[in-house]
Amino acid sequence: MLIDITDSDHEQLSVWSLVCSERFQFRSWADDEFSVAYNLLTGDTHLLDALSFELLHLLKISPASTNMLCQNLAELFPDTDVVSLGALIHSSLLRLQEAGFIVETFH
């Protein structure tokens, strides 16, 4: 099943990617819903929720559109409807971009 959460050409043409995976060190714990990321260049430490951590993991494998990320994460969040999941992913991507983890490029 293909999930399309976008309603604009802008969203369909954008791709998200990591700035530089070597720039950050990540730590997660099996019994906790949060992870941390340490920026080796700035010394900043960031607290990441489960969704943000999964997004970074997927983007480390390969750049992806918001739709592709939603498709991949739908299995991990089965109790969340598609529209809500899309909105959560979009807001998480914007926060990760603001924190310097990822960039959005347009094709």
Side-chain angles (χ1 to χ4, degrees), residues 39-70:
N39 186 324
L40 297 170
L41 296 178
T42 66
D44 294 336
T45 301
H46 303 271
L47 183 64
L48 302 172
D49 60 19
L51 178 58
S52 296
F53 185 76
E54 288 299 327
L55 287 167
L56 291 173
H57 173 72
L58 289 172
L59 293 173
K60 185 175 183 178
I61 296 168
S62 175
S65 68
T66 303
N67 278 341
M68 291 169 60
L69 293 167
C70 188

Side-chain angles (χ1 to χ4, degrees), residues 29 32-37 45-49 52 96 101:
W29 295 267
D32 200 348
E33 65 184 74
F34 293 99
S35 303
V36 292
T45 301
H46 303 271
L47 183 64
L48 302 172
D49 60 19
S52 296
L96 291 169
F101 288 100

